Amino acid sequence: MTRPTISFCTYTFNDAEFTADLIRQTRMFSMRPDEIVVVDDGSDTPFVMDDAPANLRVLRFEKNRGITAAKGAGLSAASGDFIFSMDCDTRVSTTWLERNLPHAAVPEIGLVGGSLVYRSGDDLVSRYLSVFGDNHNQHHVGAADFIPGNAFLLRRKTWEQAGGFDGYGETNCQDHYLCGRLKDLGYTLFSDARAEAWQLRRITRTTMCKRVWKWCHKPIKRQACEADDIVNYLFGTFVAPMLDRCDNSAVLGEPLFYYLELLYLAHAVLDTLDHLVAQGRMSAQKHGGFLAELVELFAGYPRIQAMYRADLYAMGHDMLASVPSGDTAAWREFFMFAPMMQKGGLFTWLEEQGVAQLVRDEVEAEYDFSSYAEATYEVVNA
C-alpha cells in the first residue's frame, strides 16, 4: 500500500536559528515528511537556509501578521494528505510522526498530539515553567479534551472541512479554537503520551508574565467588568491559585518561584484595573489603593522592592504612581497572604539572597527572542 503524503509546517518570526535547526531535525525522523513549508511571518531578515532540503518551500509575509495568520497560511498551503504542524521552538522524539500517523488515519479522529513539557534550561523561568507551564497530556493515551498547538497532526481534508482559522481574529490561542471547532464537527481529539514534544525557547521573567497574561486577559477582564464584587473576583482568579502554587513551590524548595508569582499577580491585576478604570467600573482611588498596598508589601525590604519595581516598570506599571488617599481598605483581605510570607521569612530571604540570585540569572542566562516581550492587551468592545 502506498504511504500517504505528509506535509511538515513551521513558522518563524525573527527566530531563524530555531527554524533552521528544526528543519535539520526532520532528517532524523523515523518517517520523513514529503514537503516542508516554512511561513516567514515578516521577519526583519527574510528566512534563508544554506543547507535547505530540496523539498522546502518558504512563504513570506512582508509585515508581521501574528502566529494565527502564519499558521493558517502554512496549513492551507500544505499539499500532503496529512499535515504535521510544529512551532519552531518545539522539538519532538524521532518517532513522533510514525507513532501518531495511525491515530490520525482513523476517520473519527480529527486532531492528534502527544505529551508536551517545557525543557529549555536550568534558569529560574525554565524551572518554573517545567512545573507550572503549559505542559499537557504527559501521561495520557487516548481521547483528550485539548491538543496543544506546539505539535499536532491532522488530515488535510479535516483542516479544510473545519474552515481553517476563518472567523478567528485573535493572535494567540488558535489551538483552543481549532480543538473546539473540530469537536463541534463531531471529531475526537487524540493524544499519545509516548510521542514526546518539548519547548525550548528560554524567556525572561517579565516576558513570561506578559506571555501568560496575553493568553487569558480578555475573558478575565470581561468577567471583572461584570462582577458585583470586583475585588473578591480578582482574589478568586489570581490569589487563590497563586497560593496553591506557592504551597507546591515550598515543597520543591524553590523560594524564587514566590517572586515570579507575586510579579505575575501585580502585572495581571494592574492591567485589569487599568481596564476597569477606563470602562468606568472602578474609581482611580480604588486603583490607587491597590498600588499603595503593593508598595507596602515590600516595606522594609529595599533591595527586593527595587527589583520588583523595576520589573513592573519594564512591563508598563509604575509602583509609585499610587493615589495618596487611595482606598487601601478595600484591598486588605486581598493581601491576606502578605503576613504569612513575611513572618515565614520569605521576604528576608529574598532581600538577603534572592536578589543576588535574580541578578545572577540575568547575567548568566542566554534568553531567546520572543514576540511576547512586546505584548499589548487591548480589549475592543469589552
Side-chain angles (χ1 to χ4, degrees), residues 111 136-137 144-149 173 175-177 179 183 189 191:
L111 195 65
H136 300 279
N137 301 326
D145 292 329
F146 175 69
I147 301 297
C173 296
D175 47 3
H176 289 270
Y177 173 82
C179 289
K183 286 191 285 188
L189 312 180
S191 180

Side-chain angles (χ1 to χ4, degrees), residues 6-11 22 37 67 70-72 74-75 82-88 90 92 96-97 111-113 147-154 159 165 174 178:
I6 299 167
S7 296
F8 179 83
C9 298
T10 191
Y11 325 94
L22 174 58
V37 179
I67 187 60
K71 193 165 288 191
L75 295 173
F82 289 83
I83 308 172
F84 180 15
S85 173
M86 272 183 66
D87 293 348
C88 71
T90 299
V92 296
W96 194 102
L97 181 56
L111 195 65
V112 177
I147 301 297
N150 309 76
F152 63 80
L153 179 68
L154 81 169
W159 166 255
F165 298 131
Q174 68 287 139
L178 182 59

Side-chain angles (χ1 to χ4, degrees), residues 45-301:
T45 301
F47 175 77
V48 293
M49 185 176 173
D50 293 338
D51 55 342
N55 61 347
L56 173 66
R57 284 196 291 148
V58 178
L59 309 179
R60 174 171 167 80
F61 297 158
E62 290 306 314
K63 293 184 179 180
N64 179 254
R65 294 171 56 186
I67 187 60
T68 299
K71 193 165 288 191
L75 295 173
S76 296
S79 61
D81 300 313
F82 289 83
I83 308 172
F84 180 15
S85 173
M86 272 183 66
D87 293 348
C88 71
D89 60 355
T90 299
R91 298 294 180 268
V92 296
S93 54
T94 57
T95 58
W96 194 102
L97 181 56
E98 183 179 9
R99 183 175 292 280
N100 276 331
L101 189 61
H103 302 317
V106 176
E108 295 78 18
I109 295 178
L111 195 65
V112 177
S115 63
L116 176 69
V117 296
Y118 207 100
R119 194 190 301 168
S120 60
D122 195 39
D123 59 290
L124 171 63
V125 172
S126 295
R127 297 198 312 274
Y128 178 88
L129 290 175
S130 72
V131 179
F132 299 121
D134 50 330
N135 306 309
H136 300 279
N137 301 326
Q138 294 182 56
H139 308 289
H140 182 74
V141 179
D145 292 329
F146 175 69
I147 301 297
N150 309 76
F152 63 80
L153 179 68
L154 81 169
R155 294 183 296 276
R156 178 166 53 85
K157 290 182 178 178
T158 304
W159 166 255
E160 293 170 349
Q161 183 188 4
F165 298 131
D166 290 351
Y168 185 73
E170 301 292 335
T171 57
N172 53 286
C173 296
Q174 68 287 139
D175 47 3
H176 289 270
Y177 173 82
L178 182 59
C179 289
R181 175 66 178 146
L182 291 175
K183 286 191 285 188
D184 288 344
L185 290 172
Y187 286 109
T188 297
L189 312 180
F190 192 93
S191 180
D192 190 332
R194 295 168 296 183
E196 298 177 332
W198 54 93
Q199 297 183 75
L200 294 179
R201 193 181 303 271
R202 193 177 305 188
I203 57 178
T204 67
R205 57 183 178 268
T206 55
T207 298
M208 182 198 76
C209 291
K210 298 184 79 170
R211 175 177 178 253
V212 175
W213 184 231
K214 181 68 174 180
W215 293 342
C216 59
H217 75 104
K218 287 189 177 182
I220 290 176
K221 288 174 181 174
R222 186 160 49 247
Q223 292 170 41
C225 283
E226 297 170 354
D228 294 328
D229 185 338
I230 292 173
V231 175
N232 187 57
Y233 167 76
L234 295 177
F235 181 91
T237 301
F238 296 115
V239 177
M242 179 192 77
L243 294 178
D244 286 340
R245 291 191 297 271
C246 285
D247 287 342
N248 290 332
S249 300
V251 172
L252 292 168
E254 288 278 14
L256 279 179
F257 283 9
Y258 284 76
Y259 180 83
L260 296 180
E261 294 288 355
L262 293 171
L263 190 62
Y264 175 73
L265 174 73
H267 175 58
V269 171
L270 285 169
D271 186 61
T272 302
L273 298 187
D274 289 343
H275 178 73
L276 290 168
V277 171
Q279 295 293 314
R281 292 286 289 121
M282 177 172 284
S283 68
Q285 280 209 339
K286 188 173 257 189
H287 184 303
F290 178 84
L291 275 169
E293 287 292 295
L294 198 61
V295 171
E296 183 63 24
L297 182 64
F298 294 105
Y301 305 94

